[in-house]
């Protein structure tokens, strides 16, 4: 008999959503490569602890590492780093029911990779922007609510996507059901370019975005992504202060400044002050998801669109990952230079 929900990657995103669904009574199993995190979730005295400004609670649920997983599931919530998508899909495929599906709770365009392994008909798209951080084994800080969107990759309003949407409303009551989830995924890529840039400095998201001397840089980064998306036939959707129209061709400086101010206002109150990319570089000392930015550059090339700022940002982050460059706010000034 198939089980219901398998959360593959029980970190900040998967752990938070999975904990809410487990608390709501869903049959949830967690998988994670961090053995000490798995042990904490399984420990009756510890469990998975959600803390922070939004909520504080603890759940107990089955958990294991990938090598010890047994059984099959109807729904797999994939929440690993983008660079681990293909490996995770190959590992989870034997545990996915024939009529089941994988939903990508990830950054980037991971749905494209997922469908190469499990098939397009068993791939579901999702967009999340809430703030959470993995703090240690069994500990996740949920910092702020934000946009959550789900949709079939082909835009169908199927029974399964409607059921998934209802379930995710138990986590985020304002979660949206979309007939074009790609508009949100590309919107997050454009917004995400600003967060990747924040990660090469020391200041938090709000303070970094508020730097007046970097307004032109924000316009360039977002514009490059928007141009590539439109060449792909996608019109971007905005969220949480980010307005794609304010960074598109023909937009004025005043429009961009207004959107930046809205993003600053959204991020300023949040306990999560820095991006996940910054935490990977500064705290966890591990590779980031910078391949997402490189991927936009590559897609741009197929359309004859140059993305010089995104390309330079990618090289700066890889230099920091390799220990050839230190995190410093001056990196942003270098990125801003022609």
């Amino acid at each position: 008999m198939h089980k219901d929900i398998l959360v593959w990657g029980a970190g900040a995103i998967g752990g938070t959503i999975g904990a809410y669904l487990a608390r709501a009574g869903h049959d949830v199993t967690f998988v994670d490569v961090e053995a000490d995190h798995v042990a904490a979730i399984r420990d009756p005295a510890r469990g998975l602890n959600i803390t922070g400004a939004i909520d504080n609670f603890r759940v107990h649920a089955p958990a294991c590492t990938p090598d010890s997983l047994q059984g099959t599931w109807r729904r797999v919530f994939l929440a690993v780093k983008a660079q681990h998508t293909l490996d995770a899909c190959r590992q989870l495929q034997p545990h996915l029911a024939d009529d089941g599906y994988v939903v990508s709770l990830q950054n980037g365009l991971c749905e494209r990779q997922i469908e190469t392994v499990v098939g397009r008909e068993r791939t579901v798209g999702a967009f999340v922007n809430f703030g959470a951080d993995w703090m240690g084994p069994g500990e996740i800080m949920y910092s702020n609510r934000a946009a959550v969107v789900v949709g079939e990759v082909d835009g169908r309003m199927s029974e399964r996507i409607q059921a998934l949407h209802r379930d995710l409303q138990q986590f985020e009551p304002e979660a949206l059901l979309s007939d074009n989830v790609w508009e949100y995924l590309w919107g997050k890529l454009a917004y995400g370019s600003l967060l990747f840039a924040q990660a090469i400095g020391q200041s938090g998201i709000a303070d970094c975005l508020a730097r007046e001397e970097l307004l032109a840089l924000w316009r360039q980064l977002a514009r490059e992504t928007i141009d590539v998306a439109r060449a792909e036939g996608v019109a971007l959707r905005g969220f949480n202060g980010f307005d794609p129209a304010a960074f598109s061709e023909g937009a004025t400086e005043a429009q961009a400044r207004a959107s930046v101010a809205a993003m600053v206002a959204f991020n300023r109150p949040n306990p999560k002050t820095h991006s996940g990319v910054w935490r990977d570089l500064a705290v966890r000392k591990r590779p980031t998801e910078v391949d997402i930015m490189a991927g936009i550059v590559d897609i741009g090339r197929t359309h004859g669109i140059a993305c010089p700022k995104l390309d330079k940002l990618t090289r700066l982050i890889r230099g920091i990952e390799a220990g050839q460059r230190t995190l410093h706010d001056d990196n942003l000034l270098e990125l801003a230079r022609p």
Side-chain angles (χ1 to χ4, degrees):
M1 183 175 181
H2 303 315
K3 301 174 186 178
D4 188 11
I5 298 173
L6 180 66
V7 175
W8 197 286
I13 302 303
T16 303
I17 292 177
Y20 268 84
L21 294 181
R23 187 176 68 168
H26 290 274
D27 172 19
V28 178
T29 301
F30 293 98
V31 173
D32 202 88
V33 296
E34 298 288 346
D36 52 354
H37 187 44
V38 167
I41 297 172
R42 295 178 59 166
D43 188 342
R46 299 177 68 184
L48 181 56
N49 190 27
I50 305 298
T51 63
I54 306 302
D55 216 340
N56 286 271
F57 65 94
R58 187 185 305 272
V59 298
H60 296 87
C64 62
T65 53
D67 59 325
S68 62
L69 183 65
Q70 296 182 353
T72 56
W73 281 260
R74 293 177 49 249
R75 302 187 285 181
V76 178
F77 290 11
L78 186 59
V80 300
K81 291 289 186 180
Q83 63 266 32
H84 303 311
T85 299
L86 286 176
D87 285 343
C89 285
R90 294 184 186 110
Q91 288 180 296
L92 68 83
Q93 187 176 21
H95 304 286
L96 179 63
D98 290 341
D99 60 349
Y101 63 83
V102 178
V103 55
S104 173
L105 301 173
Q106 302 168 272
N107 294 318
L109 304 174
C110 295
E111 290 81 355
R112 293 182 174 185
Q113 297 181 63
I114 294 169
E115 67 181 32
T116 66
V117 179
V118 305
R120 187 175 177 84
E121 71 283 356
R122 294 203 291 173
T123 303
V124 169
F127 157 84
V128 297
N129 193 49
F130 66 90
D133 287 311
W134 184 86
M135 306 304 292
E139 302 288 333
I140 295 174
M141 183 178 71
Y142 178 26
S143 304
N144 66 283
R145 295 176 56 198
V148 174
V149 183
V150 292
E152 294 280 8
V153 293
D154 61 4
R156 291 180 299 117
M157 284 297 171
S158 63
E159 290 185 10
R160 71 179 186 180
I161 201 64
Q162 294 178 63
L164 175 63
H165 176 239
R166 288 192 296 270
D167 289 343
L168 285 177
Q169 286 179 311
Q170 295 176 307
F171 162 64
E172 173 48 64
E174 296 184 15
L176 300 177
L177 176 58
S178 174
D179 62 0
N180 194 340
V181 71
W182 299 103
E183 295 177 336
Y184 290 94
L185 293 173
W186 274 98
K188 189 174 183 182
L189 286 177
Y191 173 66
S193 69
L194 311 185
L195 298 187
F196 272 90
Q198 176 271 317
I200 65 177
Q202 297 163 315
S203 300
I205 298 170
D207 288 338
C208 185
L209 290 174
R211 291 175 62 179
E212 177 65 23
E213 75 274 22
L214 296 178
L215 178 63
L217 174 61
W218 308 144
R219 297 180 73 188
Q220 290 172 295
L221 285 170
R223 170 71 184 277
E224 289 181 1
T225 305
I226 291 168
D227 286 348
V228 173
R230 289 185 171 164
E232 288 279 289
V234 180
L236 283 67
R237 286 291 189 102
F239 57 92
N240 302 142
F242 176 68
D243 176 13
F247 299 91
S248 300
E249 182 179 3
T252 66
E253 183 178 292
Q255 287 175 293
R257 182 174 284 107
S259 182
V260 169
M263 287 185 279
V264 170
F266 176 80
N267 283 283
R268 182 72 72 190
N270 297 338
K272 181 181 172 68
T273 57
H274 291 67
S275 66
V277 186
W278 182 90
R279 281 183 59 83
D280 284 340
L281 292 173
V283 179
R284 304 194 71 179
K285 309 294 185 182
R286 65 181 185 180
T288 70
E289 296 178 305
V290 71
D291 285 352
I292 293 172
M293 295 293 105
I296 300 172
V297 177
D298 290 340
I299 295 172
R301 288 195 186 101
T302 68
H303 295 286
I305 299 172
C307 301
K309 288 299 178 186
L310 290 173
D311 186 48
K312 187 174 182 180
L313 174 59
T314 299
R315 287 185 278 110
L316 287 171
I317 290 176
R318 286 177 172 159
I320 295 170
E321 289 177 340
Q324 299 166 350
R325 177 180 292 272
T326 59
L327 278 171
H328 197 282
D329 284 342
D330 286 348
N331 289 331
L332 284 152
L333 298 177
E334 179 173 340
L335 179 60
R337 285 196 290 269

